[in-house]
Amino acid sequence: MIFNEIYGCYYNAVAKMISLAVEGELNEKKMYEIVAGDAFGESMFTIIPALKNQKWQLIDGNYKTPVVNKPTMPMTALERRWLKTILLDPRVALFQADVKGMDDVEPLFMPEDLIYFDRYSDGDPYDQTSYVENFHVIVQAIREHKKAEIKYQNRKEQERIQVLNPVKIEYSDKDDKFRVLCAGRKDITTINMGRIIRVKKLEESFSTTISLSFGKKETLIFKLTDERKTLERVLMKFAHYKKEVERLGENTYQVKMEYDMDEETDVLIQIMSFGSFVKMIAPAELKEKLRDRIKKQIDLFNFV
Amino acid sequence: MKGDIMAYSELIKNFDNIRSYMRDFFIYGFKTREEYDKKSARSYDNERRRIQSYLGDLVSFKQTAAGRNTFISLEGRSVTHNPLYQAFKSKSFTDKDITLHFIVMDILNDGKAYTLKDLCQCIDKYLYSFDNPMCFDESTLRKKMKEYEELGLVVSEKKGRVVRYKIVRDEIILENERDAIRFFTEEDPLGVVGSYLEDKMEAGDEYLVFKNHYIMNAYDTEIIECVLRGIHEKRLIEITNFSPKSKKEKCWQVIPLKLYISTQGGRNYLLCRGAENHDTLSFRIDYIQKVKIGEPFAGYDEILRDFEKEAKHMWGVICNNDRKTEHIEMDIFIAPDENYIIRRLKREKRCGIVEQVDEETYRFIADVFDTYEMVPWLRTFFGRIKAIRCDNSEVVNRLKQDLLKLAAEYEVSE
């Protein structure tokens, strides 16, 4: 059962309080801190009175507890089965998982039970030893804040070598690809993990305070007519973008959406997929690119 | 009590109500309070308050002429931990449940086996210092231990008529699997379980971020769990499906085959066969209200093999039950220096083949059950389509009509 109180944040918060009480270090301030950090916005109005009023008989008025050991709980069957399930996924090789004692555990499902039906087919080669090794070296460099010398093939199929500051690894569900995000002085260098030929972690460190500064955001504004469930399709497709939706009329809406400049072509293609149900208002440059494609297509279809 | 108003509680007994409100706040952020006609105004206020309590600053408000909108607002790339999982940590419980939980786990911590009688005696000792100690009888304790046994926290051993309980010992060191748990917590359709495991560990340095990440399907986790159980155990299931068109619920007995996950549209589907007529059916997971697991289905493997053959001709989630396919060919203009377009065509086509016709023309050829499903994808090649031929004339007509409308909308002269 996935929805169960033993996984709940009230139980987690109380476990932390008992742990401190076992050590004799619990006080009212710490109780509030734990609730603020581990539970919900209004939990303090329930958890703290319930303990103080002895509705939950776990901590007394002097912040003492009859519990002897710091609370621990074994993994549930669901958690064990989930772990076993992820071990069957080919991507797990990237994370050096080595779970022993799981032989008799039944997975929740098999990888082939899931079909990512619109995922691009040129995903990363998770079964390739060199790919996995490169991934591990990059992770090590990120953890140790070391520069990395990366030899890779660029989009024009040319080999390049760069010394970079790897900070994060980004996974894209749609592409089924990992990308290394490297911090530069002003912008980010992104290298597809699958294009890396060789990577060497260098001795030279980079600052631990260095962070990724994503480029400029642009605002896309478009109107849509809600026919054939366009509204729902648009809002679900763009669910991972920050946006605002305004109703203009019975079945017309305006959507304002922020996107990263490096995603411009992708955003244009996605807008095009909705055809005439969506009309782009801004930005002007992107709108012009869309007009250009329409014009070219009109010519190709030879409409007269 | 009759006539008494039930006090608001942050915690909930089941997830059904909150699931539908979370979906609406996430997807349809422009709706006003008055438009939530399904439930009473009080229900709306309580669920909004809960969601705000779970998600904090991610819940935003906007005053418009039509009323006040509540919406969940976030920027996907900056979200590395799915915030919606928080809502799954809100299950209600009784005062006795929580008291018993920590005391029983503490007693069993020594690894020894205890009878119910032993446990009751130990529990009394834990509670005697409280002003009005709670009292637990063997029957209450038996129910709790049964529940914990089902959850996999304890095991029982029976000798004669005496049952003893002891804690399950973990051999797994979670810390060693931290990175794998982190990744799959975000990427797995049952990732909320990973977030439960993460709650057992201290926060650490993280290097993973996610792009094109649909987090909202988290609120369908309970349905997905049942569907996957049906698939894994090859069982019949009964689903209660809500149709937004008829606004009615209907029950279907089906043989679940695959969970189809969209990485571009945010929708997930159950692909299945009808239990009686064996027609291939697809149901949106977010429209499924309930799943009841039935008996194992004897001919499951054969049906699955049959479906897998069909699936090679499915563009999306539609499969014609008369098994007839439609042929489509599309010629695309690709300049000699535009290799990236060839790569795009190859990686985005889900079936069929791509072949070069001449120096500047590539042809996509496929036989699919429903070519109309391909229209959104075909539109993305506007500006490059030299010719398109399809058994389904509606597809070509649709594209041409669309193009003319777009030309008029954007004032492109023909």
Side-chain angles (χ1 to χ4, degrees):
Chain A
M1 200 199 296
I2 269 188
F3 192 48
N4 191 293
E5 68 269 18
I6 62 164
Y7 306 119
C9 65
Y10 277 38
Y11 273 46
N12 288 337
V14 171
K16 284 197 177 171
M17 288 180 199
I18 295 173
S19 286
L20 284 183
V22 167
E23 289 176 332
E25 287 181 8
L26 186 67
N27 56 43
E28 187 166 7
K29 186 173 170 251
K30 284 183 177 160
M31 284 173 102
Y32 276 98
E33 282 171 3
I34 289 170
V35 174
D38 287 77
F40 304 132
E42 296 189 57
S43 305
M44 67 184 74
F45 304 119
T46 307
I47 297 177
I48 294 171
L51 287 167
K52 279 189 165 179
N53 302 336
Q54 301 188 2
K55 275 172 77 186
W56 304 348
Q57 297 187 347
L58 294 162
I59 292 166
D60 67 17
N62 299 315
Y63 306 105
K64 300 269 185 270
T65 177
V67 174
V68 182
N69 308 288
K70 285 187 177 184
T72 56
M73 190 175 75
M75 270 195 272
T76 62
L78 176 73
E79 289 168 334
R80 275 183 224 115
R81 292 186 66 188
W82 184 81
L83 264 187
K84 179 66 179 261
T85 309
I86 67 168
L87 288 177
L88 301 174
D89 189 296
R91 293 170 294 187
V92 84
L94 305 175
F95 306 107
Q96 295 172 296
D98 181 25
V99 184
K100 290 186 179 70
M102 301 282 282
D103 295 344
D104 299 332
V105 178
E106 183 68 19
L108 291 166
F109 59 89
M110 302 301 283
E112 59 269 25
D113 296 337
L114 312 178
I115 304 287
Y116 293 88
F117 67 95
D118 55 3
R119 176 176 271 175
Y120 296 161
S121 62
D122 61 346
D124 280 354
Y126 305 116
D127 56 350
Q128 206 177 80
T129 313
S130 59
Y131 175 89
V132 175
E133 282 171 0
N134 289 339
F135 191 100
H136 294 161
V137 175
I138 294 281
V139 170
Q140 211 53 41
I142 292 173
R143 291 222 158 102
E144 295 172 16
H145 303 283
K146 299 283 188 193
K147 288 178 180 283
E149 184 190 271
I150 302 177
K151 184 179 179 187
Y152 63 99
Q153 199 171 46
N154 70 10
R155 284 175 191 200
K156 291 176 183 165
E157 317 295 334
Q158 299 154 327
E159 288 187 5
R160 291 277 180 272
I161 295 180
Q162 271 190 282
V163 173
L164 295 160
N165 306 323
V167 176
K168 297 277 181 197
I169 295 176
E170 182 178 71
Y171 179 72
S172 163
D173 233 347
K174 180 171 79 176
D175 304 301
D176 190 24
K177 283 184 195 300
F178 285 89
R179 297 183 179 95
V180 191
L181 307 183
C182 305
R185 278 185 194 160
K186 284 182 183 165
D187 51 9
I188 297 171
T189 303
T190 305
I191 296 184
N192 283 6
M193 196 71 81
R195 289 185 167 273
I196 296 176
I197 299 161
R198 193 196 64 222
V199 56
K200 202 166 125 194
K201 184 181 68 150
L202 302 178
E203 283 307 307
E204 192 185 344
S205 303
F206 58 87
S207 166
T208 53
T209 56
I210 203 165
S211 64
L212 297 172
S213 52
F214 284 100
K216 203 181 141 217
K217 294 254 185 221
E218 188 58 88
T219 304
L220 174 73
I221 303 173
F222 58 90
K223 283 183 183 171
L224 70 87
T225 311
D226 190 19
E227 284 172 32
R228 294 171 186 258
K229 290 190 182 176
T230 300
L231 176 67
E232 190 196 59
R233 286 194 292 121
V234 164
L235 297 183
M236 288 193 86
K237 190 177 190 68
F238 293 126
H240 41 63
Y241 291 91
K242 189 165 189 168
K243 61 188 174 314
E244 272 184 40
V245 188
E246 196 182 330
R247 183 180 283 146
L248 302 175
E250 180 91 19
N251 67 342
T252 52
Y253 298 82
Q254 179 165 290
V255 181
K256 251 188 204 177
M257 183 180 110
E258 279 181 13
Y259 66 93
D260 291 318
M261 281 299 281
D262 64 347
E263 292 181 292
E264 192 183 69
T265 307
D266 196 36
V267 168
L268 175 62
I269 286 171
Q270 292 185 68
I271 288 288
M272 283 168 67
S273 74
F274 291 103
S276 55
F277 296 116
V278 165
K279 187 185 177 189
M280 195 191 296
I281 310 292
E285 302 78 37
L286 197 62
K287 195 176 162 185
E288 200 43 47
K289 285 180 184 169
L290 178 57
R291 284 186 85 243
D292 182 49
R293 291 189 185 206
I294 296 166
K295 174 85 178 71
K296 279 182 180 159
Q297 191 57 55
I298 289 279
D299 293 344
L300 283 166
F301 273 166
N302 205 13
F303 282 127
V304 280
Chain B
M1 227 185 314
K2 212 172 181 182
D4 199 11
I5 297 167
M6 200 190 283
Y8 166 81
S9 165
E10 206 175 36
L11 303 185
I12 50 175
K13 206 168 177 181
N14 66 60
F15 205 72
D16 302 344
N17 271 352
I18 208 113
R19 178 185 175 217
S20 94
Y21 277 101
M22 277 175 90
R23 180 177 192 277
D24 282 350
F25 289 170
F26 198 93
I27 303 292
Y28 299 106
F30 56 85
K31 275 192 184 180
T32 61
R33 183 175 184 258
E34 289 68 33
E35 287 173 270
Y36 288 86
D37 52 357
K38 281 180 283 185
K39 304 276 173 345
S40 69
R42 178 182 299 283
S43 168
Y44 168 86
D45 289 339
N46 284 345
E47 299 303 350
R48 182 202 48 71
R49 186 173 163 188
R50 283 190 188 103
I51 292 170
Q52 201 181 349
S53 194
Y54 304 158
L55 303 183
D57 294 341
L58 295 178
V59 179
S60 304
F61 304 95
K62 193 183 168 192
Q63 193 66 43
T64 67
R68 195 175 191 228
N69 310 144
T70 303
F71 59 98
I72 298 171
S73 172
L74 46 84
E75 201 269 307
R77 221 168 179 177
S78 64
V79 175
T80 53
H81 287 244
N82 189 336
L84 305 187
Y85 290 155
Q86 279 299 94
F88 280 88
K89 297 166 188 176
S90 63
K91 175 82 162 71
S92 61
F93 52 85
T94 66
D95 298 339
K96 284 191 167 182
D97 283 333
I98 191 166
T99 303
L100 204 52
H101 174 81
F102 286 102
I103 293 175
V104 167
M105 286 292 130
D106 197 47
I107 296 167
L108 297 178
N109 189 51
D110 62 9
K112 292 177 187 162
Y114 288 78
T115 63
L116 289 176
K117 197 176 166 192
D118 297 336
L119 280 172
C120 276
Q121 284 171 353
C122 291
I123 291 166
D124 286 345
K125 285 182 197 161
Y126 272 75
L127 295 173
Y128 85 98
S129 64
F130 289 96
D131 299 337
N132 294 299
M134 284 178 181
C135 189
F136 294 97
D137 55 26
E138 283 191 26
S139 156
T140 309
L141 207 51
R142 185 178 295 111
K143 274 187 211 154
K144 187 52 84 183
M145 297 316 284
K146 187 171 177 272
E147 187 191 321
Y148 281 4
E149 204 172 352
E150 282 167 7
L151 284 166
L153 297 177
V154 300
V155 284
S156 65
E157 45 193 39
K158 202 172 178 183
K159 276 189 187 163
R161 293 180 65 185
V162 181
V163 182
R164 290 174 196 276
Y165 298 91
K166 67 175 184 180
I167 205 155
V168 172
R169 285 281 175 223
D170 278 333
E171 290 170 25
I172 298 154
I173 302 161
L174 275 185
E175 196 56 44
N176 295 347
E177 320 310 331
R178 179 186 279 277
D179 290 353
I181 293 171
R182 178 80 290 276
F183 177 74
F184 288 101
T185 293
E186 299 307 316
E187 283 302 318
D188 187 82
L190 299 177
V192 68
V193 183
S195 88
Y196 297 154
L197 290 170
E198 288 193 310
D199 286 343
K200 295 174 195 244
M201 296 185 273
E202 293 294 324
D205 284 344
E206 290 172 10
Y207 60 84
L208 287 167
V209 290
F210 301 88
K211 194 183 176 188
N212 303 317
H213 186 29
Y214 288 109
I215 63 162
M216 73 280 195
N217 295 313
Y219 44 57
D220 296 327
T221 299
E222 283 187 307
I223 300 294
I224 291 175
E225 185 205 12
C226 291
V227 161
L228 287 172
R229 193 181 148 205
I231 294 172
H232 189 63
E233 296 177 7
K234 304 178 180 181
R235 288 174 185 272
L236 284 168
I237 59 171
E238 182 187 282
I239 58 168
T240 307
N241 189 58
F242 174 75
S243 160
K245 208 172 175 183
S246 67
K247 302 217 181 296
K248 280 182 186 161
E249 287 185 356
K250 190 179 168 189
C251 283
W252 299 75
Q253 293 276 346
V254 300
I255 306 153
L257 299 170
K258 299 280 178 192
L259 178 69
Y260 266 47
I261 296 175
S262 168
T263 62
Q264 295 187 50
R267 298 166 173 192
N268 295 341
Y269 299 82
L270 161 65
L271 266 287
C272 55
R273 287 269 174 97
E276 284 181 11
N277 56 15
H278 291 190
D279 278 353
T280 304
L281 305 164
S282 61
F283 293 93
R284 283 264 299 268
I285 293 289
D286 52 346
Y287 291 166
I288 300 177
Q289 307 297 304
K290 254 185 288 180
V291 181
K292 205 167 136 191
I293 310 275
E295 294 298 311
F297 184 75
Y300 189 93
D301 289 340
E302 199 184 325
I303 288 213
L304 180 62
R305 270 196 302 274
D306 193 31
F307 170 77
E308 282 170 342
K309 272 186 219 159
E310 274 176 28
K312 289 177 185 155
H313 297 283
M314 284 165 61
W315 180 260
V317 295
I318 294 175
C319 173
N320 283 351
N321 285 308
D322 61 10
R323 313 285 193 263
K324 276 187 191 157
T325 57
E326 297 168 351
H327 186 74
I328 184 163
E329 292 188 5
M330 174 170 69
D331 291 350
I332 295 284
F333 168 81
I334 300 175
D337 61 344
E338 291 183 319
N339 272 345
Y340 61 96
I341 300 291
I342 306 169
R343 282 200 297 273
R344 193 191 143 202
L345 195 56
K346 286 182 176 171
R347 71 166 177 257
E348 292 185 15
K349 73 166 182 58
R350 302 174 205 169
C351 39
I353 53 165
V354 173
E355 59 184 37
Q356 188 168 7
V357 177
D358 58 39
E359 206 178 319
E360 292 183 334
T361 313
Y362 283 76
R363 183 169 295 158
F364 163 71
I365 307 164
D367 293 284
V368 300
F369 288 123
D370 186 354
T371 44
Y372 208 83
E373 269 195 305
M374 299 175 75
V375 168
W377 181 68
L378 299 172
R379 283 184 190 125
T380 67
F381 288 96
F382 272 173
R384 294 184 176 276
I385 305 172
K386 291 173 86 171
I388 187 157
R389 297 168 291 278
C390 182
D391 286 351
N392 184 350
S393 56
E394 273 186 57
V395 170
V396 180
N397 290 341
R398 173 83 240 171
L399 287 172
K400 288 188 173 174
Q401 272 175 21
D402 245 354
L403 190 64
L404 290 174
K405 273 191 187 174
L406 284 168
E409 290 268 23
Y410 292 95
E411 295 167 4
V412 175
S413 54
E414 289 165 26

